[in-house]
Amino acid sequence: MNVAGLRAIVTGGASGLGHAVARHLAARGAHVALLDIQEGPGRAAAESIGAAAIFLRCDVTAESEVEETFARAATALDGIDLLVNCAGVIGAGRVLGRNGPMAGDFFARVLQINLLGTFLCDKAAAALMQRNQPTADGERGVIIHTSSVAAFDGQIGQVAYSATKAALVGMTLPLAREFAAFGIRVMSIAPGIFHTPMVDGMTPELQASLASQVPFPARLGKPEEYAQLVEAIVVNPMLNGETIRLDGAVRLPPK
Ligand SMILES: NC(=O)c1ccc[n+]([C@@H]2O[C@H](COP(=O)([O-])OP(=O)(O)OC[C@H]3O[C@@H](n4cnc5c(N)ncnc54)[C@H](O)[C@@H]3O)[C@@H](O)[C@H]2O)c1
């Protein structure tokens, strides 16, 4: 698919990787709807991108809200060709933490946002994309999940987070197989450690220690580099049903 003229929804678009993806695609001629639960930062992010971007408030865990918001986005953009799921939370915590064992509700909330939220958005996007006019290659849409290297090398304190990110990897192939009938591709990206507000919340010492663990380049990833991989997936029709690590060869240690 060409990026110029692409009609895209980016969840988690108010911040970090999602904002960078929206900015990158819009700069190359796409029209983008930024969805996020944070209204002020979401509006500011869309305004900073310009006329090619709109913001729609959406909690990805609320099924009817997702369906309504995707319908509004499709009306505003005149259809949807691409969904990039970036909404997510870090959900860190030990199972046997300082304040006692982890509550099931905490674990379930991380699952709701990172996993159920992605599923609901995938479903809403595919339901719209299946009606698209196919490209010459028979393509009707592309769906991208934001997994994490924590899907494969989860650290202590990442039980809930790793479970959700591994589940996104697991969903990728069956979705790609099912949606093949409609010409809709499904891919996941598993980022290493990227410099976003999610990581800004960590102490400088922890950030430096994380950066020093990356073999090359020995630094945190830039959100723009994540956006470049999104573009590469969009334009290459053979990329389907797979998860790509984007991590400078980092393999996270237990802690
Ligand atoms: N930054 C990294 O190093 C890194 C590494 C691997 C994976 N990831 C994943 O990338 C994605 C984006 O992370 P980021 O670093 O840009 O974080 P971020 O905190 O900057 O952005 C996440 C966005 O998701 C939004 N969000 C949270 N819950 C939501 C909900 N229920 N409905 C709608 N929006 C919601 C937040 O408001 C926020 O704007 C996440 O899924 C994260 O797990 C990040």
Side-chain angles (χ1 to χ4, degrees):
M1 276 197 169
N2 293 325
V3 174
L6 196 77
R7 303 158 300 178
I9 289 181
V10 181
T11 74
S15 175
L17 301 184
H19 186 194
V21 168
R23 194 172 48 228
H24 183 92
L25 296 176
R28 281 150 189 80
H31 299 276
V32 190
L34 284 68
L35 273 51
D36 206 289
I37 202 164
Q38 295 192 75
E39 212 153 341
R43 280 192 203 294
E47 274 165 26
S48 75
I49 293 170
I54 57 166
F55 170 74
L56 298 171
R57 192 208 169 270
C58 181
D59 178 349
V60 296
T61 67
E63 190 160 10
S64 56
E65 195 175 317
V66 168
E67 276 163 24
E68 281 160 27
T69 313
F70 273 58
R72 281 172 60 207
T75 303
L77 304 180
D78 198 23
I80 299 299
D81 308 299
L82 171 68
L83 164 65
V84 187
N85 288 287
C86 287
V89 290
I90 204 154
R94 288 180 182 235
V95 178
L96 302 178
R98 253 186 232 126
N99 303 321
M102 178 186 286
D105 282 351
F106 176 85
F107 186 87
R109 185 68 192 144
V110 182
L111 251 71
Q112 268 191 325
I113 298 170
N114 293 359
L115 176 56
L116 179 69
T118 299
F119 167 76
L120 294 177
C121 292
D122 286 359
K123 175 177 69 134
L128 292 164
M129 288 172 179
Q130 66 175 337
R131 297 200 287 266
N132 285 350
Q133 272 299 110
T135 64
D137 238 354
E139 276 196 90
R140 286 193 174 82
V142 180
I143 293 174
I144 299 177
H145 299 155
T146 307
S147 176
S148 165
V149 294
F152 310 103
D153 17 287
Q155 298 186 287
I156 292 170
Q158 290 191 315
V159 167
Y161 186 72
S162 294
T164 64
K165 296 301 181 178
L168 296 180
V169 173
M171 274 163 54
T172 307
L173 184 61
L175 284 173
R177 286 174 159 168
E178 181 177 342
F179 295 165
F182 306 105
I184 300 168
R185 293 186 286 125
V186 184
M187 285 290 293
S188 292
I189 302 174
I193 313 144
F194 276 66
H195 201 184
T196 68
M198 195 179 259
V199 171
D200 275 342
M202 300 173 183
T203 61
E205 295 75 28
L206 180 55
Q207 287 187 32
S209 138
L210 288 171
S212 70
Q213 290 167 23
V214 187
F216 185 82
R219 58 165 172 79
L220 302 185
K222 299 173 187 165
E224 176 61 18
E225 292 163 338
Y226 179 86
Q228 283 171 13
L229 182 54
V230 167
E231 183 185 1
I233 290 171
V234 168
V235 300
N236 191 330
M238 280 307 284
L239 286 171
N240 194 14
E242 185 53 283
T243 300
I244 302 176
R245 288 183 73 127
L246 183 68
D247 62 6
V250 78
R251 298 294 180 268
L252 297 180
K255 57 181 175 182

